[in-house]
Amino acid sequence: MKFSLVALTIVLFMSCGNTEQNPKDDSNNTWTYTYLKAKPGQKENLKSFLEANWLKMDSVAISRGLFNDYELLVNADNNETAAWDFIVAVEYYTPTTYADISDEWELIQEEHQTVLIDGLSFKDLGSYLKTDTLFKED
């Protein structure tokens, strides 16, 4: 199974529009924060899955000039009742984020071989909660 959850998640919750991408102009950088929750007892496995899959593809996107940066943020609250466990943060070059790179992102997904963790996929390890789009005002 090709890992298409990332694209689906981003497409459903990102701003739409078509602005020309210009990696040299960082004045329009916009971050998306995708909040994820691990299933009970799966926090470390979900983290491993994100590193082997989502962040691996994000690294490729950086090398191809699609993203400016990405980070994996971990909730300091280790209680299983915490609202979220991880944020995958991606910094885009434009305010319309995914809409500007969707074709190139789909190629990255097609090239990526999903790495299962102990035979488990994302849906076995956790769930998507929401995505927020953030930017810094001057």
Side-chain angles (χ1 to χ4, degrees):
M1 175 177 113
K2 293 288 179 195
F3 191 77
S4 61
L5 182 60
V6 173
L8 176 62
T9 299
I10 294 173
V11 168
L12 291 174
F13 295 96
M14 293 299 101
S15 305
C16 292
N18 190 12
T19 313
E20 185 177 333
Q21 180 177 338
N22 184 0
K24 296 185 186 330
D25 178 11
D26 64 359
S27 63
N28 290 322
N29 291 356
T30 303
W31 284 87
T32 59
Y33 278 30
T34 301
Y35 294 78
L36 306 166
K37 180 69 180 159
K39 291 194 175 177
Q42 295 296 336
K43 188 172 181 179
E44 286 306 312
N45 283 339
L46 178 57
K47 181 179 180 188
S48 295
F49 184 89
L50 295 171
E51 291 170 340
N53 293 286
W54 289 32
L55 301 182
K56 181 74 170 175
M57 290 187 288
D58 288 351
S59 175
V60 173
I62 291 264
S63 71
R64 294 185 185 177
L66 305 178
F67 297 165
N68 187 44
D69 198 5
Y70 67 92
E71 296 179 5
L72 179 63
L73 305 173
V74 181
N75 193 341
D77 183 352
N78 285 320
N79 191 325
E80 285 192 359
T81 62
W84 57 271
D85 293 312
F86 301 101
I87 294 173
V88 175
V90 174
E91 185 182 24
Y92 291 85
Y93 289 109
T94 63
T96 52
T97 65
Y98 181 76
D100 292 333
I101 62 142
S102 60
D103 292 340
E104 294 91 345
W105 179 258
E106 288 177 23
L107 289 174
I108 292 171
Q109 286 188 290
E110 289 173 12
E111 295 165 359
H112 179 75
Q113 292 284 94
T114 301
V115 176
L116 301 179
I117 305 301
D118 292 336
L120 302 173
S121 68
F122 176 80
K123 68 180 181 176
D124 301 316
L125 298 170
S127 60
Y128 162 84
L129 300 174
K130 69 175 184 167
T131 296
D132 289 329
T133 301
L134 305 107
F135 61 93
K136 253 175 127 172
E137 288 190 333
D138 292 333

